[in-house]
Amino acid sequence: MADTLTLGKALNSGLRRAMEENPKVLIMGEDVGKLGGVFRITDGLQKDFGEERVIDTPLAESGIIGTAIGLALRGYRPICEIQFDGFVYPAFDQIVSQLAKMHYRSQGKVTLPVVIRIPYAGGIGAVEHHSESPEAYFCHTPGLKVVSCASPQDAYWMIQQAVASDDPIIFLEPKRRYYEKGVVDTSLSLDQAYPLHASRVLREGSDATLVAYGPTVRVALDAAEAAAEDDNRSLEVIDLRSLSPLDLDPVYESVRRTGRLVVIHEAPRTLGLGAEIAARVTEQCFYSLEAPVQRVTGYDTPYPPARIEDEYLPDLDRVLDAVDRTFTF
Amino acid sequence: MSKGNSKRGVTRRPSKNSSGDLEFVQLLTPQGEPIKHPDYSVNFTDEEYRALYRDMVIVRRLDAESLSLQRQGELALWASLLGQEAAQVGSARALREKDMVFPTYREHGVLWCRGLDPILPLKLFRCVNQGSWDPESHRFHMYTIVIGAHALHAVGYAMGVTKDGKVGSDDGEAVIVYFGDGASSQGDVAEAMSWAAVFNAPVVFFCQNNQYAISEPVERQARIPIYQRARGFGFPGIRVDGNDVLASYAVTRAALDAARHGQGPTLIEAYTYRMGAHTSSDDPTRYRVDAEVEAWKAKDPISRMRAFLTQQQIAGPDFFEAIDEEADKHAIELRERVLAMPDPEPVSMFDHVYPGGSPLLDDERAELVRYLESFESEGVR
Ligand SMILES: Cc1ncc(C[n+]2csc(CCOP(=O)(O)OP(=O)(O)O)c2C)c(N)n1
Ligand SMILES: [Mg+2]
């Protein structure tokens, strides 16, 4: 069966299916019940699964994650919603010191299948704390897995795979893409769906490689389209999908063919995912590279006031400029 | 979540007094009749009574104008104070000039009373800046959107006041922190209360219980009246009718005075109601019924003050009309200034990340300048 859904609705359907599959799955967060979440991603779920399974929590992020850990210890599989990226930090200890490390500390006796959904990144013209890209903090934390979906199909399947996984997973949702539509094939089984921790080539090309994830995947695809039309250049586009662990084999394979790589993310440049990818690609593909790996990212500032966020966010022109630079070496 | 655990002395709902009203300090009934309270009173001149009314009318009018500017696409968001005018104006007018305020994102009424330019919050909600007024200029800190975080800042500031020897006499300074019923669940707020108690900080915790944290009713945050939490931390808590500007003033005044005299913190729960949506992005019909909103309309803070002024012959129709006109003027001016507000320069995003700047940011600024200039030389793609 194939439906055309928005990314937000695909998440909603995926969550619904995860709830149906396993009675131990819970949803918890601020305003997720009666309101259905401020983005309506959990719309209708409390009505259908009840207040015992879809829980409006007190306003306390450390509480949400801390009690989710306790519920997981007791055999439940909580899906926590953090209302916006900038509000995850009160839960930082619970995520980084507690959730991430318990499996290791218990020498494998404890698993914590907790999913933390975070609407993240910018481009929606919001006030401060509503547009941030915190992924690097979590990717820098061994024990956590971090993924980001970029299409309705991935949203639908990745959220279910994340819930089924025994790892704690930070599930980053590109909020400015919630309303973008795409075809979702709901007829697969979880195992048939594209694997959770694998990157994916979305567009084949031979002149340069673009790597993106979450909200910048659309930017990369648009840039590849423009490069084909305007510059007669063939760009390959890879959606990372999994930010931790990274699945870079398809990237290496691509760079060995194209010799050029541009990594795109909204998070600040310094110590962002682009830095890690550049280092690894340099290690693995040194003799294939025609140019240094280029990064098109947010700047090393706090997320700026939204009236100037367009200049902060990687856009098509900045990506094409970076591609141009890779041809000047 | 246990239910009805009265055997432990815990009541799940606020207790009611004989008149059926909630137990709280009230000096004006919803009909505008003055009532006596054994511990609290006000001693205003007619002029001062009228000034409180004027403040409330103006902040409500500015709020309505801001909301309409948002609806017209001029602001990204607006967090309305509708219904909370008395709690904000009453408490703010109880402050002395050198007292310090730590607001949330909804305290436009307090901001007005502190004498800041009312355009300032609209800059934040238009997203041209992040609330960059000088906290010291009017002793009013920046807005804090991350729920509860500023409660700790207020307590630390108050500890500094003590260290500076500025408590213990009528000349002392006090600090007030505003937060919501939802915020009362945050760890930071609980920590703030522990610290305030341990260090006897000259701070007033002013919780506007407007019954909701976005969609969640206050029962999702607390199973006892919020003011009663103070006892567990070791300082007094009190509930005031937050729609009564006189009571809000009197209770806050007393708490601030206790703080400045070295008697430590107080938690005030101003019992009020958020008449509008949480913000312009919210749809309250999804989680509350009209009848509830209607019931609170009957307790409106402004009409009660107006009834009082009329009944006491402190003000009449001419005065009310003049205030409405003045409020309109402020609103029109606000609108004009918003429409004329320029966007910031893109390169300004690199300013003030560090007091001394940084070489990295200098490079990135130059990169952005080159990039923007490339459009001028090339023409837009
Ligand atoms: C740490 C944090 N978590 C979540 C939010 C999102 N949020 C903004 S306002 C709000 C509700 C606040 O309720 P309350 O404290 O009662 O204040 P009110 O808005 O009613 O004035 C929430 C959950 C936030 N701003 N900060
Ligand atoms: Mg509230």
Side-chain angles (χ1 to χ4, degrees), chain B residues 24-88:
Chain B
F24 49 28
V25 177
Q26 191 181 64
L27 300 178
L28 264 190
T29 69
Q31 293 72 39
E33 285 146 22
I35 46 175
K36 287 221 179 316
H37 189 279
D39 304 321
Y40 296 96
S41 60
V42 291
N43 186 18
F44 286 126
T45 62
D46 288 357
E47 186 73 34
E48 288 166 333
Y49 279 126
R50 285 192 293 261
L52 289 172
Y53 176 84
R54 172 179 172 270
D55 283 336
M56 290 198 291
V57 170
I58 290 175
V59 301
R60 177 174 289 187
R61 184 66 186 84
L62 292 177
D63 188 78
E65 197 63 27
S66 305
L67 191 58
S68 100
L69 283 162
Q70 194 286 329
R71 293 288 178 234
Q72 291 156 8
E74 296 297 335
L75 304 179
L77 188 79
W78 185 249
S80 167
L81 60 62
L82 187 66
Q84 300 178 218
E85 296 86 354
Q88 294 196 11

Coordinates of all heavy atoms in Angstrom, one line a residue, chain B residues 24-88:
Chain B
F24 N -7.9 33.0 49.0 CA -6.7 33.8 48.6 C -6.9 35.2 49.1 O -8.0 35.5 49.6 CB -6.5 33.8 47.1 CG -7.7 34.0 46.2 CD1 -8.8 34.8 46.6 CD2 -7.7 33.5 44.9 CE1 -9.8 35.0 45.8 CE2 -8.8 33.7 44.1 CZ -9.8 34.5 44.5
V25 N -5.9 36.0 49.1 CA -6.0 37.3 49.5 C -6.8 38.1 48.4 O -6.3 38.1 47.3 CB -4.7 38.0 49.8 CG1 -4.8 39.4 50.2 CG2 -3.9 37.2 50.8
Q26 N -7.8 38.7 48.8 CA -8.6 39.5 47.9 C -9.0 40.8 48.6 O -9.4 40.9 49.7 CB -9.9 38.8 47.5 CG -10.6 39.4 46.3 CD -11.9 38.6 46.0 OE1 -12.8 38.5 46.8 NE2 -11.9 38.0 44.8
L27 N -8.8 41.9 47.9 CA -9.2 43.2 48.4 C -10.3 43.9 47.6 O -10.9 44.9 48.0 CB -8.0 44.2 48.5 CG -6.8 43.7 49.4 CD1 -5.7 44.7 49.3 CD2 -7.3 43.5 50.8
L28 N -10.6 43.3 46.4 CA -11.6 43.8 45.6 C -12.4 42.6 45.0 O -11.8 41.7 44.4 CB -11.1 44.5 44.3 CG -10.9 46.0 44.3 CD1 -10.5 46.4 42.9 CD2 -12.1 46.8 44.8
T29 N -13.7 42.6 45.2 CA -14.5 41.5 44.7 C -14.6 41.6 43.1 O -14.3 42.7 42.6 CB -15.9 41.4 45.2 OG1 -16.6 42.6 44.7 CG2 -15.9 41.5 46.8
P30 N -15.0 40.6 42.5 CA -15.1 40.7 41.0 C -16.1 41.8 40.6 O -16.1 42.4 39.5 CB -15.6 39.3 40.6 CG -15.1 38.4 41.6 CD -15.1 39.2 42.9
Q31 N -17.0 42.2 41.6 CA -17.9 43.3 41.3 C -17.3 44.7 41.6 O -18.0 45.7 41.5 CB -19.2 43.1 42.1 CG -20.1 41.9 41.7 CD -19.4 40.5 42.1 OE1 -18.9 40.4 43.2 NE2 -19.5 39.6 41.2
G32 N -16.1 44.6 42.1 CA -15.5 45.9 42.4 C -15.7 46.4 43.8 O -15.4 47.6 44.1
E33 N -16.3 45.6 44.7 CA -16.5 46.0 46.1 C -15.2 45.8 46.9 O -14.7 44.7 46.9 CB -17.6 45.3 46.7 CG -19.0 45.7 46.2 CD -20.0 44.6 46.1 OE1 -19.8 43.6 46.8 OE2 -20.9 44.7 45.3
P34 N -14.8 46.8 47.6 CA -13.6 46.7 48.5 C -14.0 45.8 49.7 O -15.1 45.9 50.2 CB -13.3 48.1 48.9 CG -14.6 48.9 48.7 CD -15.4 48.2 47.7
I35 N -13.1 44.9 50.0 CA -13.3 44.1 51.2 C -12.0 44.1 52.1 O -10.9 44.3 51.5 CB -13.7 42.6 50.9 CG1 -12.7 42.0 49.8 CG2 -15.1 42.5 50.4 CD1 -13.0 40.5 49.5
K36 N -12.2 43.9 53.3 CA -11.1 44.0 54.3 C -10.4 42.7 54.4 O -11.0 41.6 54.4 CB -11.7 44.5 55.6 CG -12.1 45.9 55.7 CD -11.6 46.6 57.0 CE -12.0 48.1 57.1 NZ -11.8 48.8 55.9
H37 N -9.1 42.8 54.6 CA -8.4 41.6 54.9 C -7.6 41.8 56.2 O -7.1 42.9 56.4 CB -7.4 41.3 53.7 CG -6.8 39.9 53.9 ND1 -5.6 39.7 54.7 CD2 -7.1 38.7 53.3 CE1 -5.3 38.4 54.6 NE2 -6.1 37.8 53.8
P38 N -7.5 40.8 57.1 CA -6.8 41.1 58.4 C -5.3 41.5 58.2 O -4.8 42.3 59.0 CB -6.9 39.8 59.1 CG -7.3 38.8 58.1 CD -8.1 39.5 57.0
D39 N -4.7 41.0 57.2 CA -3.2 41.2 57.1 C -2.8 42.2 56.0 O -1.7 42.7 56.0 CB -2.5 39.9 56.8 CG -2.8 38.9 57.9 OD1 -2.9 39.3 59.1 OD2 -3.0 37.7 57.6
Y40 N -3.7 42.4 55.0 CA -3.2 43.2 53.8 C -4.2 44.3 53.5 O -5.4 44.1 53.6 CB -3.1 42.3 52.6 CG -2.1 41.2 52.7 CD1 -2.4 39.9 53.2 CD2 -0.7 41.5 52.5 CE1 -1.4 39.0 53.3 CE2 0.3 40.6 52.6 CZ -0.1 39.3 53.1 OH 0.9 38.4 53.2
S41 N -3.6 45.4 53.2 CA -4.5 46.6 52.8 C -3.7 47.5 51.9 O -2.4 47.3 51.8 CB -4.9 47.3 54.1 OG -3.8 47.8 54.7
V42 N -4.3 48.4 51.3 CA -3.6 49.4 50.5 C -4.0 50.8 51.0 O -5.1 50.9 51.6 CB -3.9 49.3 49.0 CG1 -3.3 48.0 48.4 CG2 -5.4 49.3 48.7
N43 N -3.2 51.7 50.7 CA -3.5 53.0 51.2 C -3.1 54.0 50.0 O -2.2 54.8 50.0 CB -2.5 53.3 52.4 CG -2.8 54.6 53.0 OD1 -3.9 55.2 52.8 ND2 -1.9 55.1 53.8
F44 N -4.0 53.9 49.0 CA -3.7 54.7 47.8 C -4.4 56.0 47.8 O -5.6 56.1 48.3 CB -4.1 53.9 46.5 CG -3.2 52.8 46.2 CD1 -3.7 51.5 46.0 CD2 -1.8 53.0 46.0 CE1 -2.9 50.4 45.7 CE2 -1.0 51.9 45.6 CZ -1.5 50.7 45.5
T45 N -3.9 57.0 47.1 CA -4.6 58.2 46.8 C -5.5 57.9 45.6 O -5.2 57.0 44.9 CB -3.6 59.4 46.5 OG1 -2.9 59.0 45.3 CG2 -2.7 59.6 47.6
D46 N -6.4 58.8 45.4 CA -7.3 58.6 44.2 C -6.4 58.6 42.9 O -6.7 57.8 42.0 CB -8.3 59.8 44.1 CG -9.4 59.6 45.2 OD1 -9.3 58.6 45.9 OD2 -10.2 60.5 45.2
E47 N -5.5 59.4 42.9 CA -4.6 59.5 41.8 C -3.9 58.2 41.5 O -3.8 57.7 40.4 CB -3.5 60.6 42.1 CG -2.5 60.9 41.1 CD -3.2 61.8 40.0 OE1 -4.0 62.6 40.4 OE2 -2.8 61.6 38.8
E48 N -3.4 57.5 42.6 CA -2.8 56.2 42.5 C -3.7 55.1 42.0 O -3.4 54.3 41.2 CB -2.1 55.9 43.8 CG -0.8 56.7 44.0 CD -0.3 56.7 45.5 OE1 -1.1 56.4 46.4 OE2 0.9 56.9 45.7
Y49 N -4.9 55.2 42.5 CA -5.9 54.2 42.0 C -6.1 54.3 40.5 O -6.2 53.4 39.8 CB -7.3 54.4 42.7 CG -7.4 53.8 44.1 CD1 -7.7 54.6 45.2 CD2 -7.1 52.5 44.3 CE1 -7.9 54.1 46.5 CE2 -7.2 51.9 45.6 CZ -7.6 52.7 46.7 OH -7.7 52.2 47.9
R50 N -6.2 55.6 40.1 CA -6.5 55.8 38.7 C -5.3 55.4 37.8 O -5.4 54.8 36.8 CB -6.8 57.3 38.4 CG -8.2 57.7 38.9 CD -8.6 59.1 38.3 NE -7.8 60.1 39.0 CZ -8.2 60.9 40.0 NH1 -9.4 60.7 40.5 NH2 -7.4 61.8 40.5
A51 N -4.1 55.6 38.4 CA -2.9 55.2 37.7 C -2.8 53.7 37.5 O -2.4 53.2 36.4 CB -1.6 55.7 38.4
L52 N -3.3 52.9 38.4 CA -3.3 51.4 38.3 C -4.2 51.0 37.2 O -3.9 50.2 36.3 CB -3.7 50.8 39.6 CG -2.7 50.8 40.7 CD1 -3.3 50.3 42.0 CD2 -1.4 50.1 40.4
Y53 N -5.4 51.7 37.1 CA -6.3 51.4 36.1 C -5.7 51.7 34.7 O -5.8 51.0 33.8 CB -7.6 52.2 36.3 CG -8.6 52.1 35.2 CD1 -9.5 51.0 35.2 CD2 -8.7 53.0 34.2 CE1 -10.4 50.9 34.2 CE2 -9.6 52.9 33.1 CZ -10.5 51.8 33.1 OH -11.4 51.6 32.1
R54 N -5.1 52.9 34.7 CA -4.5 53.4 33.4 C -3.5 52.3 32.9 O -3.5 51.9 31.7 CB -3.8 54.7 33.6 CG -3.0 55.2 32.4 CD -2.4 56.6 32.7 NE -1.5 57.0 31.7 CZ -0.2 56.7 31.7 NH1 0.4 56.0 32.7 NH2 0.6 57.0 30.7
D55 N -2.6 51.9 33.8 CA -1.6 50.9 33.4 C -2.2 49.7 32.8 O -1.8 49.2 31.8 CB -0.8 50.4 34.7 CG 0.3 51.4 35.1 OD1 0.7 52.3 34.3 OD2 0.6 51.4 36.3
M56 N -3.3 49.2 33.5 CA -3.9 48.0 33.0 C -4.5 48.1 31.6 O -4.4 47.3 30.8 CB -4.9 47.4 34.0 CG -4.3 46.9 35.3 SD -5.4 45.9 36.3 CE -6.6 47.1 36.8
V57 N -5.2 49.3 31.5 CA -5.8 49.5 30.2 C -4.8 49.6 29.1 O -4.9 49.0 28.0 CB -6.7 50.7 30.2 CG1 -7.2 51.1 28.8 CG2 -7.9 50.5 31.1
I58 N -3.7 50.3 29.4 CA -2.7 50.5 28.3 C -2.0 49.2 28.0 O -1.8 48.9 26.8 CB -1.7 51.6 28.7 CG1 -2.4 53.0 28.7 CG2 -0.5 51.6 27.8 CD1 -1.5 54.1 29.2
V59 N -1.7 48.4 29.0 CA -1.0 47.2 28.6 C -1.9 46.2 27.9 O -1.4 45.5 27.0 CB -0.2 46.5 29.8 CG1 0.8 47.5 30.5 CG2 -1.2 46.0 30.9
R60 N -3.2 46.2 28.2 CA -4.1 45.4 27.5 C -4.2 45.8 26.0 O -4.2 45.0 25.1 CB -5.5 45.3 28.1 CG -6.5 44.5 27.3 CD -7.8 44.3 28.0 NE -7.7 43.5 29.2 CZ -8.7 43.0 29.9 NH1 -10.0 43.4 29.6 NH2 -8.6 42.2 30.9
R61 N -4.2 47.1 25.9 CA -4.4 47.7 24.5 C -3.1 47.4 23.7 O -3.2 47.0 22.5 CB -4.7 49.2 24.6 CG -4.9 49.9 23.3 CD -6.2 49.4 22.6 NE -6.4 50.0 21.3 CZ -5.8 49.5 20.2 NH1 -5.1 48.4 20.2 NH2 -6.0 50.1 19.1
L62 N -2.0 47.6 24.3 CA -0.7 47.3 23.5 C -0.6 45.8 23.2 O -0.2 45.4 22.1 CB 0.5 47.7 24.4 CG 0.7 49.2 24.6 CD1 1.9 49.5 25.5 CD2 0.8 50.0 23.3
D63 N -1.1 45.0 24.1 CA -1.1 43.5 23.9 C -2.0 43.2 22.7 O -1.6 42.4 21.8 CB -1.6 42.9 25.2 CG -1.5 41.4 25.1 OD1 -0.3 40.9 25.3 OD2 -2.5 40.7 24.9
A64 N -3.2 43.8 22.7 CA -4.1 43.5 21.6 C -3.5 43.9 20.2 O -3.6 43.3 19.2 CB -5.5 44.2 21.8
E65 N -2.8 45.1 20.3 CA -2.2 45.6 19.0 C -1.1 44.6 18.6 O -0.9 44.3 17.4 CB -1.6 47.0 19.3 CG -1.3 47.8 18.0 CD -2.6 48.0 17.2 OE1 -3.7 48.1 17.8 OE2 -2.4 48.2 16.0
S66 N -0.4 44.1 19.5 CA 0.7 43.2 19.2 C 0.2 41.9 18.6 O 0.7 41.4 17.6 CB 1.5 42.9 20.5 OG 2.0 44.1 21.1
L67 N -0.9 41.4 19.2 CA -1.5 40.2 18.6 C -2.0 40.5 17.2 O -1.8 39.6 16.3 CB -2.6 39.8 19.5 CG -3.2 38.4 19.3 CD1 -2.1 37.3 19.4 CD2 -4.4 38.1 20.2
S68 N -2.6 41.6 17.0 CA -3.0 41.9 15.6 C -1.9 42.1 14.7 O -1.9 41.7 13.5 CB -4.1 43.0 15.6 OG -3.5 44.2 15.2
L69 N -0.8 42.7 15.1 CA 0.4 42.7 14.3 C 0.9 41.3 13.9 O 1.4 41.1 12.8 CB 1.5 43.5 15.0 CG 1.3 45.1 15.0 CD1 2.2 45.7 16.1 CD2 1.7 45.6 13.6
Q70 N 0.8 40.5 14.9 CA 1.2 39.1 14.6 C 0.3 38.5 13.6 O 0.8 37.8 12.6 CB 1.2 38.2 15.9 CG 1.9 36.9 15.8 CD 1.2 35.9 15.0 OE1 0.0 35.8 14.9 NE2 1.9 35.0 14.3
R71 N -0.9 38.7 13.7 CA -1.9 38.1 12.8 C -1.7 38.6 11.3 O -1.9 38.0 10.4 CB -3.3 38.4 13.2 CG -3.8 37.8 14.5 CD -4.0 36.3 14.3 NE -4.4 35.6 15.5 CZ -3.8 34.6 16.0 NH1 -2.7 34.0 15.4 NH2 -4.2 34.0 17.2
Q72 N -1.1 39.8 11.3 CA -0.9 40.4 10.0 C 0.5 40.1 9.4 O 1.0 40.7 8.5 CB -1.1 42.0 10.0 CG -2.5 42.3 10.2 CD -2.8 43.7 10.9 OE1 -1.8 44.4 11.1 NE2 -4.0 43.9 11.3
G73 N 1.2 39.2 10.1 CA 2.5 38.8 9.7 C 3.7 39.7 10.1 O 4.8 39.5 9.6
E74 N 3.4 40.6 10.9 CA 4.5 41.5 11.3 C 5.3 41.0 12.5 O 6.5 41.5 12.7 CB 3.9 42.9 11.7 CG 3.3 43.6 10.5 CD 4.2 43.9 9.4 OE1 5.4 44.0 9.6 OE2 3.7 44.1 8.2
L75 N 4.8 40.1 13.2 CA 5.6 39.4 14.3 C 5.5 37.9 14.0 O 4.6 37.4 13.5 CB 4.9 39.7 15.7 CG 4.7 41.2 16.1 CD1 4.1 41.2 17.5 CD2 6.1 41.9 16.1
A76 N 6.6 37.3 14.5 CA 6.7 35.8 14.3 C 5.7 35.1 15.3 O 5.1 34.1 15.0 CB 8.1 35.3 14.5
L77 N 5.6 35.7 16.4 CA 4.8 35.1 17.5 C 4.4 36.2 18.5 O 5.1 37.3 18.6 CB 5.8 34.1 18.2 CG 5.2 33.2 19.3 CD1 4.5 32.0 18.6 CD2 6.4 32.7 20.2
W78 N 3.4 35.9 19.3 CA 3.1 36.8 20.4 C 2.5 36.0 21.5 O 1.7 35.2 21.4 CB 2.1 37.9 20.0 CG 1.9 38.9 21.1 CD1 0.7 39.1 21.8 CD2 2.8 39.8 21.6 NE1 0.9 40.1 22.8 CE2 2.2 40.5 22.6 CE3 4.2 40.1 21.3 CZ2 2.9 41.5 23.4 CZ3 4.8 41.1 22.0 CH2 4.2 41.8 23.0
A79 N 3.0 36.3 22.7 CA 2.6 35.7 23.9 C 1.7 36.7 24.7 O 2.3 37.6 25.2 CB 3.7 35.2 24.8
S80 N 0.4 36.5 24.6 CA -0.5 37.6 25.2 C -0.6 37.5 26.7 O -0.6 36.4 27.3 CB -1.9 37.3 24.5 OG -2.8 38.1 25.2
L81 N -0.7 38.7 27.3 CA -0.9 38.8 28.7 C -2.4 38.9 29.1 O -2.7 39.1 30.3 CB -0.1 39.9 29.3 CG -0.4 41.3 28.9 CD1 -1.7 41.9 29.2 CD2 0.7 42.2 29.6
L82 N -3.3 38.8 28.1 CA -4.7 39.1 28.4 C -5.2 38.3 29.6 O -5.1 37.1 29.6 CB -5.5 38.7 27.1 CG -7.0 39.1 27.2 CD1 -7.1 40.6 27.2 CD2 -7.7 38.5 26.0
G83 N -5.8 39.0 30.5 CA -6.3 38.4 31.7 C -5.4 38.5 32.9 O -5.8 38.3 34.0
Q84 N -4.1 38.8 32.6 CA -3.1 38.8 33.7 C -2.6 40.2 34.0 O -1.6 40.4 34.7 CB -1.9 37.9 33.3 CG -2.4 36.4 33.1 CD -1.3 35.5 32.6 OE1 -1.5 34.6 31.8 NE2 0.0 35.6 33.1
E85 N -3.4 41.2 33.6 CA -3.0 42.6 33.8 C -2.8 42.9 35.2 O -1.9 43.7 35.6 CB -4.0 43.5 33.1 CG -4.0 43.4 31.6 CD -5.0 42.3 31.1 OE1 -5.6 41.6 32.0 OE2 -5.3 42.2 29.9
A86 N -3.8 42.5 36.1 CA -3.8 42.9 37.5 C -2.6 42.3 38.2 O -1.9 42.9 39.0 CB -5.1 42.5 38.2
A87 N -2.3 41.0 37.9 CA -1.2 40.3 38.6 C 0.1 41.1 38.2 O 1.0 41.3 39.1 CB -1.1 38.9 38.2
Q88 N 0.2 41.4 36.9 CA 1.5 42.0 36.5 C 1.6 43.5 36.9 O 2.7 43.9 37.5 CB 1.6 41.9 35.0 CG 1.7 40.5 34.5 CD 2.2 40.4 33.1 OE1 2.7 41.3 32.4 NE2 2.1 39.2 32.5

